[in-house]
Amino acid sequence: MGRRKNKFQPLPVDDPTHPNQTPFRVFERAFKRKTLGSHKQVLQPETNNIAELPLSIAERLVDPRNCPEESLLSEEQRPFKVRIKNPFPASNLTEPESITNAEKEDDTMCEALLFPTHPGLILIPAALSQERQRDMVRKTLRDWTVRPNVTNLDTHYVIHEPKGLWAVHEREWRARTLEGSKVDTVAPRRISGDDDVEAYDSHDDEPPAATTLAETPDSNKFRKLDSDVNIPPVPPHIDPPTTSTPLLQPMNVSKLIQRWRWSSLGWQYNWSKKIYHMDRPVEFPPELHEMTKAVIRTVEPMTGYSEDKFNSEAGIVNFYQIPDALMGHQDRSELNMEAPLVSFSLGHSCIFVIGTESREDKDDLPISLVLRSGDVIVMSGASRKCFHGVPRIIPNSLPENLASTYDGNGKADKEEWDVFGDFLSTARININVRQIV
């Protein structure tokens, strides 16, 4: 008989033998790990509760929509609620069907959380109504991933469709769902490169399905390219790849869409050099600018940064699939570090960890927050320079009103939303807005 293999037992997340053992990295490791020493899930999908975490981590987890004042943090460190002006009152909505935080008798006011451990960190739970969340999802996928905005896929894949990858996906998804059509393909550029940003810890996608042609007038634009076809070089407005990917293959649009990791808005960002291209001005989305200004106006009494001084100059749309994580980093490429950073959450919930200005700090412990769809977070003051990250997307946490089964105001509304709900069934979207100068 062969020797029985012992089942791998991972080290406890706070075991001192781990390399780079600092509080921030312990928190990251705890939430990234699918199982702890007890082999129980860290996140229970049924309730989204945390299980089997070391006490030092569990006591510093704050769920803003579930009695944050009952956190295990000490009283002087516990977040507290304040009443602020509602940045998005129901009166601003065309159809205030579900107002969440604005569901107050006086919807001109709402609640926010402040954090004594992180001065300048402000969370407005459920700030976005259901209608506004769906509208932001539509605009993000249809408009804010289209050139001249650059995404992580542009370096590697040829997207001929002027309206961008989502337009292809939406057309194909509806044809496939309603008519059983086959899937078109997108050809990669004939260069080497890596479509993932260093900060991302991404899952391995399934191999692409067999490349086929859809019977549409545009099928010649998305056919699989033969080896002798001369693929054009990277256009001047797209940064060249930083590493080689010689095995990059053509991929079905339905798979490729799940490899979105980011899209740059406004001034375009060079991810390898961590600088902005000041010679690449792109108009910032006006609707997103107005929403951000509304938040800045609301939190001005706490940040001291006036709405008149703020200008939305750049933004990053982060796309996450369920297994993905965004590791600890600082947003420090902006020349103006006094201006607040405003972040909008859409889709699945996540764990957000924020530490201090040093990821190696061994004295001050981070805190972690559960961020849900519709939450708005502001990083200003001291918190603006803190290391932060998203080590886990919480499975099965998509709100019902964003699911593909959502019927809205009737059949027509459901059919229009289906494709967006299908994308969100495995995804989270974060949109963060910055002022550069």
Side-chain angles (χ1 to χ4, degrees):
M1 291 179 62
R3 181 179 297 177
R4 183 177 179 180
K5 294 183 179 180
N6 292 326
K7 191 171 183 179
F8 172 72
Q9 295 286 340
L11 291 172
V13 295
D14 50 358
D15 191 289
T17 61
H18 278 295
N20 301 320
Q21 188 72 357
T22 64
F24 191 93
R25 295 179 186 275
V26 169
F27 272 59
E28 281 188 324
R29 192 177 298 121
F31 289 112
K32 278 190 64 182
R33 183 170 290 182
K34 294 180 180 179
T35 57
L36 297 176
S38 63
H39 295 286
K40 293 183 179 179
Q41 283 191 312
V42 177
L43 295 169
Q44 306 294 338
E46 297 80 8
T47 61
N48 296 330
N49 287 335
I50 306 300
E52 300 297 328
L53 286 175
L55 181 60
S56 62
I57 297 175
E59 68 183 5
R60 300 183 72 81
L61 176 69
V62 178
D63 186 347
R65 299 198 201 177
N66 185 24
C67 301
E69 64 277 6
E70 295 181 7
S71 164
L72 296 178
L73 286 166
S74 62
E75 187 171 352
E76 64 273 11
Q77 294 183 327
R78 197 170 298 161
F80 59 92
K81 295 179 181 179
V82 295
R83 295 280 288 173
I84 63 173
K85 289 184 178 180
N86 192 339
F88 311 113
S91 57
N92 289 346
L93 300 176
T94 55
E95 298 177 21
E97 28 132 338
S98 182
I99 308 306
T100 58
N101 203 345
E103 282 180 336
K104 313 289 183 183
E105 292 183 5
D106 179 7
D107 71 357
T108 62
M109 303 297 290
C110 68
E111 292 180 342
L113 281 180
L114 304 184
F115 299 82
T117 56
H118 291 79
L121 182 65
I122 305 165
L123 175 62
I124 311 175
L128 305 174
S129 71
Q130 294 181 6
E131 178 193 1
R132 196 179 292 274
Q133 290 176 54
R134 289 192 294 275
D135 186 56
M136 287 189 75
V137 169
R138 292 185 185 97
K139 285 185 169 64
T140 299
L141 297 176
R142 282 179 172 166
D143 303 331
W144 300 344
T145 57
V146 179
R147 292 182 187 173
N149 300 312
V150 176
T151 77
N152 63 296
L153 296 179
D154 285 322
T155 299
H156 309 278
Y157 290 89
V158 179
I159 313 298
H160 292 282
E161 169 62 57
K163 294 183 179 180
L165 182 64
W166 180 261
V168 181
H169 174 68
E170 184 172 351
R171 181 176 66 233
E172 292 179 355
W173 190 92
R174 296 191 189 285
R176 183 170 62 249
T177 303
L178 300 176
E179 305 167 13
S181 297
K182 296 181 180 180
V183 181
D184 289 347
T185 58
V186 173
R189 295 183 180 279
R190 193 60 58 87
I191 59 175
S192 60
D194 186 0
D195 63 348
D196 285 326
V197 182
E198 180 181 358
Y200 279 94
D201 177 25
S202 300
H203 65 291
D204 293 325
D205 285 305
E206 299 174 9
T211 53
T212 56
L213 287 176
E215 298 299 325
T216 68
D218 295 325
S219 63
N220 63 310
K221 294 182 179 180
F222 300 102
R223 68 179 186 274
K224 182 178 179 181
L225 298 183
D226 298 324
S227 59
D228 59 348
V229 173
N230 182 25
I231 300 179
V234 180
H237 67 285
I238 298 177
D239 293 314
T242 56
T243 57
S244 175
T245 55
L247 301 180
L248 194 66
Q249 296 294 318
M251 184 171 294
N252 293 107
V253 172
S254 59
K255 296 294 183 183
L256 191 61
I257 207 79
Q258 297 177 11
R259 290 206 170 192
W260 260 343
R261 294 296 176 265
W262 52 262
S263 177
S264 292
L265 307 177
W267 294 100
Q268 298 297 287
Y269 191 62
N270 185 315
W271 288 86
S272 58
K273 296 182 179 179
K274 310 298 182 188
I275 59 174
Y276 287 98
H277 290 291
M278 304 305 288
D279 59 341
R280 299 182 187 176
V282 175
E283 181 185 8
F284 194 87
E287 311 98 313
L288 184 57
H289 170 66
E290 291 304 320
M291 290 182 63
T292 306
K293 291 273 278 188
V295 174
I296 295 294
R297 184 187 315 123
T298 293
V299 300
E300 180 180 344
M302 291 159 281
T303 65
Y305 201 88
S306 117
E307 173 195 3
D308 296 335
K309 293 169 57 179
F310 186 86
N311 188 33
S312 306
E313 294 174 330
I316 302 293
V317 179
N318 291 310
F319 296 99
Y320 302 83
Q321 293 293 305
I322 296 296
D324 292 343
L326 179 60
M327 306 311 291
H329 64 283
Q330 288 174 303
D331 294 307
R332 57 186 179 187
S333 299
E334 297 73 34
L335 299 177
N336 183 349
M337 293 294 289
E338 301 301 318
L341 183 151
V342 179
S343 175
F344 303 89
S345 289
L346 301 165
H348 277 77
S349 303
C350 76
I351 300 295
F352 174 82
V353 175
I354 181 167
T356 66
E357 289 190 36
S358 172
R359 187 165 47 185
E360 309 308 315
D361 190 339
K362 296 185 178 181
D363 297 322
D364 295 319
L365 293 177
I367 61 170
S368 49
L369 313 176
V370 180
L371 296 183
R372 291 185 169 86
S373 190
D375 290 350
V376 173
I377 198 164
V378 178
M379 297 175 66
S380 66
S383 74
R384 176 68 176 80
K385 301 176 183 178
C386 289
F387 271 87
H388 58 283
V390 178
R392 180 170 288 270
I393 309 301
I394 302 177
N396 303 323
S397 60
L398 183 69
E400 183 178 349
N401 66 284
L402 296 181
S404 58
T405 54
Y406 174 76
D407 57 7
N409 296 318
K411 181 179 179 180
D413 195 23
K414 180 182 183 303
E415 290 180 351
E416 188 274 340
W417 179 254
D418 275 355
V419 64
F420 300 99
D422 180 74
F423 176 81
L424 290 176
S425 67
T426 61
R428 174 181 185 260
I429 300 173
N430 169 256
I431 306 167
N432 53 82
V433 181
R434 306 105 180 274
Q435 179 170 343
I436 300 176
V437 297

